[in-house]
Amino acid sequence: MIRHLFKLIWNRKKSNFLLISEIFFSFLVLFGVLSFALYNYHNYRQPLGFTHDNVWQVWINPNTDSTAQNLAVQEQLLQRVRSFPEVAHASLASSNTPFSFNTMNGDLTYEKGKEVETHNFEVQDEFKDVLGLQLSQGRWFGPQDNSSLHPAIVINQKLKGDLFGSEDPLGKKVSANDSTHYTVIGVVNHFRPASEYAAEEGAFFGRINLSKDNKYVWTGLLIKVKPGTGVAFEEKMVKEISAIAKGWSIEVTTLEKMRQSKAKMTLVPLVAMAVVCGFLVFNVALGLFGVLWYNINKRTSEIGLRRAMGATTRQIRTQFVGEVLVMATFGLLLGLLLAVQFPLLQVFQLSPAIYWQGIGTAAVLIFLLVALCALYPSQQASRIQPAVALHEE
Amino acid sequence: MIQLQDIEKVYRTKTIETVALNRVNLLVERGEFVSIMGPSGCGKSTLLNIMGLLDEPTSGYVAIDGKPVKTHSDRQLAKLRNEKIGFVFQSYHLIHDLSVVDNVELPLLYRPVSAGERRKSALEALEKVGLSTRTKHFPSQLSGGQRQRVAIARALAGNPEIILADEPTGNLDSVMGNEIMDILLRLNQEEGTTIVMVTHDEHMALKTNRLIRFFDGQQVADSMVIEAQI
Amino acid sequence: MLKNYIKIAWAVLKRRKFFTFISLFGISFTLMVLMVVTSLFDHAFGPQMPERQTERLLFVNMMREQGEQGYSSSGPPSYYFLDRYVKKLQTPEKVSINSVFTTVNSYVNNQKLTLDLKHTDRAFWEILDFEFLEGRAFTQQEVANASHVAVINQNTRQKYFGDAPAIGQRIEVNQVKYTVVGVVKDVPVLRLNSYSDVWVPITLRRNEFLNDRLRGSFFAIIQARKPGDLPKIKEEYARMMTQVEIKNPKDVSTLYSFPDTILETFARTTLGGRGENSNVGYFYTLLALAAFLFMLLPTINLVNINISRIMERSSEIGVRKAFGASSKVIIGQFVVENVFLTLIGGLLGLAFSLGVMHLINNSGVIAYADLGLNVRVFAWGLLLCLVFGLISGVYPAYKMSRLHAVEALRGGSK
């Protein structure tokens, strides 16, 4: 029977061409959107590696350039912030704090291995407590790093894999360029600060040491406040630090808010895509339904004949649903030819598993959809009275 | 073989009631070649549809091989049609998108038969109608007479005990018509297939064993044809 | 004749309600999406309050320093660079220097307000066309004196003062007090160069003017005397760039900075590359491709339905042919019918898109979005409608017109 259906569709390929191409394009659209959605979902399921509740982001920007004076102001400001009873921990950091829109990249090499692209985060010792980082190996920064020969760094699991493979990274020397070398002192489980929907990338932390050759004003101040601290304290804190840092622009926000706006960057396009894709697919489904209905009405005499030849109503129904499924298979096969290029050629560096899931889900959805569209018209077809159908003409 | 008793068929629409068949009694015996004649609209085709289990009478009794079919389910009816009955139509009803041999295989598709066996039976049937050379053609590439031969081969492929033919020569000229008639006669005589044929053509009808005349839904004559030629 | 066709079309639409529904649904939603996108595009790149005379405006948003050893760093230019080089250009009519907006907090009645603050000069108000709800822009004098005056937007006035007039009132932004001199209508956030909540004189950041680095946190807006001057300005700008003194030649060997239209700015930054090319052509190609791909499915769908719809009427076509209608006339009839249908769909689409724009404006997805239909968007919509109607009508009509009269009378081929 299946062979019979393939034959029918194949011989009718010319008149079914448009329907098949519709299914082909629908499949590609679904595949694209689903792969994108699955990619984001997959990332979302991974641990972030830090906690952001009750963490506030204070952006401090001197707006002026006289470094020496600014550094002094910054130290005062930090001391004042730490002295508030509401503040549990506070750490200066480079501007690429979690969920911010800033990035800092660089390359690291281990021995003569290849260069690995990483994100670097400059942080103070208290950073670990502010964000609740968990170490899986080695230790976090401490005063003993003041005197180390090469600056100490802590890397994340991803970078450990990229740089060292299965080797033990502790105590190893890595280089950023010819003159800068670091010693790895610890590994954190995960650190995925860009967005909940972004994949984890290699990252390392460098240590900010204010007492030693500090050259910059660190603009990203992160503080962990005690639970229940609210706007009243925020106002008080901003007033007081503005008095210390006159003329600086100071902005306070929470990591939760930053997380939301970062999530919006992914979710808004995703929702827009999903809506458009949903509309396209629904549109195609309606069209398919209409055309199938029409085609089946046109084939009443064939239906009558098949009934006369001994087909049961059920066989007629199965045949028409089957035909549509076979047609969908043709469209899917064409689409598959294109879609498999993505995992095979590793387009966009997504993991092949996501593409395969996308292909699978899209195919299942297409089959479900066409079966659904075919069900009612096929039901109609099976109800046709053979005696009437055979004499129509 | 087929027994019809007190068959009535009434078509109702909102406004009118048309009586297509009025108390028809008919018994077709195994091995007979029966022709049914009558003017257009006299109910011949309705009768054939009822005999072929494609239609149900409004009232009356239909039995195949002595078994009443009234209580049969859709599946049982389909099985009977599939195994016992073959159909031949005036307008052939071939499926355009299937090749000749695929068309002939059609009734076997609804039986648990392997693809190889299907093909074998279909080719045999085509052989019987003299179309072994055209198996891969499509219906649109054939003449009317050839198309009707394909339709007969299709009816034969399932090896039915009875063939119901609804004006099989109606769309054909006399040469082709005669060819078709010869095939049917041969089938009846050599293989003992029971045939019921509706026709307009007196000439064709007189070639059969038994002729039934219809007028306005009623059987008006039932006679044995003594001489094949008049 | 046309009237006759439309009468038939109407009758056909009413007879096959389900097909009509499918067609209208497809058409109206496709056009709705296209129209919303067009409106968004217009909102972001077209002439809009306050950048109304876009054909005379160029924007300087970026400066990239490139070194021979792979060092590369880019960001907004500094006041020093803009003041010393860009302001000195001869071709432009006016040049405004203004800061990149910064987000600051203010606290009003135990409530926190997050506001964007921008520092501007006087020329900013002359070049751009803000819609003042009350008051005025700050004057040359106020800029020269570095007065603590501010122009605020409607939303900020609402937050500080409810809907009461704000002129002469004091507001505190980032712990500094300003006197409100003007209130303007909200500027959409997509207008990077003019958007803000609060505008104050640029001279309040006077201490940064001395810093002679090339990169900083300022933008420039260049106004040409007439639209045709834009290429000349770009040329002069490019010449000027070769004269810029590089203070740290060890690290930096080349500088890149371009005066761009809004679209060029966007294309240059988003489509990557090193920024030497504005990529506008590439950007348009991408857009056209996306629109084409998006329209492809609904079009195929519509063609498919139209074929069914037309084939169903094969006997009508047979009769027409039998009475002497040529293929051309028949194609014409179906195309007219289909364009009629798409126009109905277009009207529905228009109504839907108004609804969706309203939703987007109210949802806050884009701050201060003010999407709307204007003549340009509407004209695009109409054009899209016609193209859609033609494409989806011609093929089925052509296919049908080739049927022979006899076949058509018999009910069409298989």
Side-chain angles (χ1 to χ4, degrees):
Chain A
M1 194 70 190
I2 287 172
R3 236 170 67 184
H4 181 72
L5 293 181
F6 268 92
K7 225 180 268 172
L8 261 179
I9 299 297
W10 182 249
N11 292 342
R12 270 196 213 118
K13 58 187 176 297
K14 223 172 128 190
S15 52
N16 285 332
F17 167 74
L18 282 173
L19 281 181
I20 290 177
S21 60
E22 252 183 288
I23 289 165
F24 164 75
F25 284 118
S26 310
F27 171 72
L28 286 185
V29 169
L30 271 177
F31 163 68
V33 173
L34 283 171
S35 298
F36 181 58
L38 281 168
Y39 170 72
N40 286 309
Y41 177 70
H42 179 81
N43 288 335
Y44 182 75
R45 294 290 304 270
Q46 305 300 313
L48 282 172
F50 60 91
T51 52
H52 62 272
D53 46 313
N54 290 317
V55 178
W56 292 5
Q57 169 81 60
V58 184
W59 294 113
I60 48 177
N61 199 337
N63 287 334
T64 55
D65 224 36
S66 54
T67 316
Q69 194 205 330
N70 286 344
L71 289 178
V73 170
Q74 173 172 260
E75 275 210 63
Q76 269 183 44
L77 188 152
L78 184 63
Q79 273 173 18
R80 181 69 195 103
V81 168
R82 284 193 176 139
S83 68
F84 287 117
E86 289 89 343
V87 174
H89 308 283
S91 164
L92 289 173
S94 47
S95 64
N96 54 344
T97 51
F99 304 133
S100 73
F101 285 86
N102 308 320
T103 52
M104 275 168 67
N105 315 60
D107 292 320
L108 283 187
T109 29
Y110 169 58
E111 285 177 343
K112 288 277 168 269
K114 66 174 183 338
E115 288 193 338
V116 174
E117 204 184 304
T118 65
H119 292 264
N120 42 328
F121 300 87
E122 300 295 320
V123 299
Q124 286 188 297
D125 296 357
E126 291 79 359
F127 190 80
K128 170 173 171 283
D129 301 319
V130 174
L131 288 180
L133 300 180
Q134 302 283 332
L135 269 83
S136 57
Q137 249 180 305
R139 60 171 180 87
W140 183 251
F141 304 121
Q144 64 265 50
D145 295 314
N146 284 342
S147 53
S148 60
L149 173 62
H150 300 300
I153 58 168
V154 173
I155 63 178
N156 71 350
Q157 204 77 36
K158 175 79 168 61
L159 183 59
K160 178 192 158 192
D162 291 349
L163 269 180
F164 301 100
S166 52
E167 251 180 90
D168 181 11
L170 294 185
K172 295 275 159 47
K173 202 175 87 176
V174 292
S175 39
N177 53 44
D178 291 344
S179 55
T180 319
H181 304 281
Y182 302 112
T183 311
V184 178
I185 58 160
V187 181
V188 292
N189 277 335
H190 291 278
F191 191 63
R192 198 162 58 89
S195 152
E196 289 161 293
Y197 300 97
E200 184 160 8
E201 291 175 278
F204 74 88
F205 302 97
R207 183 165 181 257
I208 295 176
N209 186 353
L210 290 182
S211 57
K212 198 177 152 195
D213 60 39
N214 187 30
K215 281 182 290 196
Y216 309 103
V217 169
W218 301 100
T219 52
L221 170 61
L222 285 174
I223 57 178
K224 173 110 179 170
V225 296
K226 305 209 165 117
T229 313
V231 158
F233 169 67
E234 190 184 322
E235 181 174 2
K236 182 174 135 204
M237 179 181 75
V238 170
K239 285 240 159 83
E240 291 207 18
I241 60 181
S242 296
I244 295 170
K246 290 204 179 66
W248 291 29
S249 63
I250 289 168
E251 191 206 344
V252 183
T253 180
T254 59
L255 280 200
E256 174 56 20
K257 267 198 192 136
M258 289 164 71
R259 180 192 68 78
Q260 285 169 6
S261 64
K262 215 44 194 287
K264 210 161 95 171
M265 294 288 287
T266 308
L267 292 180
V268 168
L270 189 63
V271 168
M273 268 167 82
V275 167
V276 167
C277 164
F279 147 70
L280 280 179
V281 169
F282 184 59
N283 192 4
V284 167
L286 277 180
L288 208 62
F289 182 80
V291 171
L292 289 178
W293 193 0
Y294 170 76
N295 282 349
I296 284 168
N297 278 329
K298 225 170 46 174
R299 284 167 65 187
T300 45
S301 80
E302 179 191 330
I303 295 163
L305 173 80
R306 286 180 187 272
R307 297 274 277 134
M309 294 292 130
T312 58
T313 47
R314 199 189 166 146
Q315 277 166 323
I316 295 288
R317 207 164 50 223
T318 323
Q319 182 200 335
F320 280 93
V321 175
E323 271 186 33
V324 177
L325 290 180
V326 167
M327 209 150 66
T329 311
F330 276 106
L332 285 183
L333 285 177
L334 281 178
L336 213 57
L337 278 181
L338 259 172
V340 293
Q341 306 303 319
F342 284 78
L344 295 183
L345 301 177
Q346 305 257 319
V347 187
F348 298 136
Q349 270 105 45
L350 295 196
S351 91
I354 286 171
Y355 283 129
W356 291 121
Q357 282 170 21
I359 289 175
T361 325
V364 169
L365 276 180
I366 291 273
F367 274 129
L368 270 179
L369 198 79
V370 295
L372 216 64
C373 291
L375 222 52
Y376 182 72
S378 305
Q379 185 74 24
Q380 292 289 93
S382 70
R383 289 226 185 91
I384 287 172
Q385 286 298 317
V388 181
L390 283 168
H391 286 274
E392 240 176 37
E393 200 144 305
Chain B
M1 178 92 230
I2 300 182
Q3 191 184 357
L4 302 180
Q5 252 174 35
D6 285 338
I7 296 296
E8 266 191 352
K9 181 73 185 176
V10 183
Y11 291 107
R12 288 194 181 89
T13 62
K14 269 178 208 156
T15 45
I16 40 170
E17 203 169 82
T18 321
V19 180
L21 293 175
N22 190 3
R23 303 184 73 82
V24 174
N25 289 291
L26 180 64
L27 181 70
V28 177
E29 298 288 352
R30 198 172 286 274
E32 270 188 319
F33 192 156
V34 184
S35 55
I36 301 175
M37 282 198 72
S40 295
C42 67
K44 309 174 301 244
S45 294
T46 310
L47 183 72
L48 208 64
N49 284 339
I50 288 173
M51 290 167 84
L53 312 178
L54 291 175
D55 208 349
E56 277 176 39
T58 314
S59 67
Y61 170 85
V62 181
I64 304 278
D65 280 345
K67 288 187 202 95
V69 297
K70 190 159 174 68
T71 53
H72 276 30
S73 67
D74 172 63
R75 252 206 15 236
Q76 286 168 308
L77 288 175
K79 192 164 152 48
L80 276 178
R81 281 198 297 270
N82 183 255
E83 289 173 357
K84 296 216 183 252
I85 308 172
F87 289 89
V88 178
F89 307 96
Q90 178 178 8
S91 49
Y92 331 126
H93 284 308
L94 297 177
I95 297 177
H96 300 284
D97 297 308
L98 290 177
S99 66
V100 163
V101 65
D102 288 330
N103 261 294
V104 174
E105 277 183 15
L106 204 62
L108 301 171
L109 212 59
Y110 302 106
R111 287 186 197 176
V113 183
S114 76
E117 258 176 87
R118 256 191 340 245
R119 182 54 47 114
K120 200 170 133 251
S121 313
L123 290 175
E124 273 171 21
L126 280 167
E127 177 101 46
K128 282 185 199 160
V129 298
L131 275 180
S132 323
T133 54
R134 301 272 158 127
T135 54
K136 296 280 177 233
H137 287 59
F138 281 84
S140 55
Q141 297 165 311
L142 301 177
S143 72
Q146 285 170 327
R147 287 185 204 186
Q148 194 59 297
R149 271 148 68 191
V150 175
I152 294 173
R154 179 177 63 193
L156 292 177
N159 225 353
E161 292 166 27
I162 179 161
I163 288 182
L164 301 176
D166 192 354
E167 306 219 25
T169 59
N171 279 359
L172 302 174
D173 63 28
S174 64
V175 179
M176 286 184 179
N178 281 329
E179 263 177 39
I180 296 299
M181 200 58 207
D182 289 345
I183 293 173
L184 289 177
L185 282 168
R186 205 175 64 230
L187 277 173
N188 177 245
Q189 281 153 16
E190 290 174 11
E191 319 226 342
T193 313
T194 316
I195 299 180
V196 179
M197 175 178 81
V198 164
T199 183
H200 260 109
D201 193 333
E202 188 92 32
H203 180 68
M204 299 292 176
L206 289 174
K207 292 185 181 177
T208 61
N209 315 133
R210 179 178 169 195
L211 188 137
I212 297 166
R213 288 182 193 275
F214 257 74
F215 190 75
D216 267 358
Q218 292 198 12
Q219 199 175 332
V220 291
D222 185 351
S223 58
M224 288 300 154
V225 179
I226 313 294
E227 279 294 321
Q229 299 97 340
I230 289 182
Chain C
M1 199 65 165
L2 197 65
K3 201 174 141 197
N4 195 3
Y5 286 169
I6 288 175
K7 233 191 235 162
I8 294 176
W10 184 245
V12 170
L13 292 186
K14 279 203 309 201
R15 193 172 65 227
R16 301 295 275 158
K17 290 205 180 68
F18 183 64
F19 276 5
T20 308
F21 166 72
I22 298 174
S23 307
L24 285 180
F25 175 83
I27 296 166
S28 57
F29 266 72
T30 308
L31 288 172
M32 179 198 84
V33 172
L34 287 173
M35 245 135 70
V36 169
V37 170
T38 313
S39 162
L40 267 173
F41 184 86
D42 196 64
H43 191 66
F45 306 116
Q48 270 234 325
M49 194 280 294
E51 295 151 19
R52 255 191 249 279
Q53 293 179 306
T54 40
E55 74 281 358
R56 279 173 63 202
L57 297 181
L58 288 174
F59 302 85
V60 180
N61 293 357
M62 279 300 226
M63 159 70 74
R64 199 160 65 88
E65 297 173 312
Q66 173 86 42
E68 253 143 30
Q69 276 136 18
Y71 167 86
S72 159
S73 157
S74 68
S78 65
Y79 186 87
Y80 168 81
F81 165 76
L82 295 173
D83 187 52
R84 171 142 183 202
Y85 295 101
V86 180
K87 265 224 147 147
K88 300 271 159 60
L89 295 176
Q90 297 301 309
T91 343
E93 185 177 342
K94 274 179 195 150
V95 176
S96 154
I97 303 178
N98 47 80
S99 75
V100 176
F101 67 83
T102 49
T103 307
V104 292
N105 297 137
S106 306
Y107 301 88
V108 180
N109 314 326
N110 275 334
Q111 255 197 319
K112 175 177 162 182
L113 290 184
T114 304
L115 295 174
D116 290 327
L117 177 69
K118 189 177 180 79
H119 295 77
T120 76
D121 56 6
R122 170 64 201 166
F124 181 80
W125 302 103
E126 290 162 2
I127 294 173
L128 298 175
D129 220 348
F130 281 88
E131 208 172 301
F132 275 88
L133 299 173
E134 49 174 322
R136 54 170 176 86
F138 33 84
T139 61
Q140 186 60 50
Q141 191 60 40
E142 282 164 331
V143 173
N145 296 347
S147 311
H148 284 244
V149 289
V151 173
I152 60 176
N153 69 356
Q154 197 177 358
N155 185 48
T156 308
R157 176 178 74 177
Q158 161 77 28
K159 282 181 184 159
Y160 270 94
F161 309 111
D163 273 326
I167 299 298
Q169 300 273 9
R170 310 265 283 165
I171 60 166
E172 191 178 318
V173 181
N174 199 26
Q175 326 309 320
V176 180
K177 289 201 163 62
Y178 299 92
T179 308
V180 176
V181 294
V183 179
V184 294
K185 240 182 113 180
D186 293 338
V187 176
V189 71
L190 294 176
R191 296 299 168 135
L192 202 66
N193 290 83
S194 41
Y195 162 80
S196 191
D197 292 305
V198 178
W199 294 264
V200 298
I202 194 166
T203 39
L204 292 166
R205 281 169 73 172
R206 205 181 295 156
N207 48 4
E208 286 168 71
F209 294 178
L210 299 170
N211 172 0
D212 65 355
R213 285 181 310 181
L214 295 174
R215 292 205 297 106
S217 54
F218 291 90
F219 289 153
I221 305 176
I222 300 174
Q223 185 178 37
R225 277 174 237 278
K226 53 180 192 292
D229 278 355
L230 296 192
K232 277 190 243 161
I233 293 176
K234 287 184 179 175
E235 268 168 46
E236 196 195 351
Y237 195 97
R239 265 198 316 271
M240 174 274 286
M241 283 304 291
T242 61
Q243 312 290 320
V244 177
E245 183 192 353
I246 299 174
K247 302 240 156 100
N248 47 345
K250 250 197 337 202
D251 295 330
V252 178
S253 56
T254 332
L255 296 174
Y256 297 98
S257 172
F258 305 90
D260 281 333
T261 62
I262 305 173
L263 188 61
E264 281 168 345
T265 308
F266 179 79
R268 200 189 292 279
T269 47
T270 41
L271 295 181
R274 304 186 128 198
E276 286 86 347
N277 262 318
S278 71
N279 283 329
V280 169
Y282 182 40
F283 180 64
Y284 272 125
T285 316
L286 278 185
L287 270 186
L289 196 72
F292 171 76
L293 284 180
F294 170 70
M295 278 178 79
L296 194 62
L297 258 185
T299 310
I300 298 179
N301 201 28
L302 208 60
V303 168
N304 234 331
I305 290 168
N306 279 341
I307 289 180
S308 306
R309 191 200 270 284
I310 288 177
M311 288 300 171
E312 216 183 20
R313 290 163 63 192
S314 51
S315 72
E316 178 196 329
I317 293 162
V319 172
R320 281 176 191 275
K321 279 206 153 181
F323 283 97
S326 69
S327 295
K328 233 165 105 186
V329 171
I330 288 178
I331 294 182
Q333 180 192 343
F334 281 110
V335 170
V336 167
E337 273 190 38
N338 204 51
V339 169
F340 175 69
L341 179 70
T342 22
L343 285 180
I344 296 181
L347 280 179
L348 283 174
L350 203 71
F352 289 147
S353 52
L354 281 176
V356 170
M357 287 177 205
H358 188 73
L359 266 176
I360 294 180
N361 288 346
N362 287 347
S363 70
V365 175
I366 305 168
Y368 306 141
D370 183 25
L371 297 184
L373 279 180
N374 51 37
V375 182
R376 249 166 308 122
V377 176
F378 185 76
W380 271 106
L382 203 68
L383 184 77
L384 289 170
C385 256
L386 288 175
V387 170
F388 209 61
L390 283 175
I391 294 177
S392 60
V394 167
Y395 174 70
Y398 168 73
K399 205 173 157 188
M400 193 66 224
S401 73
R402 285 202 321 180
L403 274 188
H404 292 296
V406 184
E407 252 177 86
L409 276 173
R410 270 219 317 260
S413 67
K414 32 163 175 152

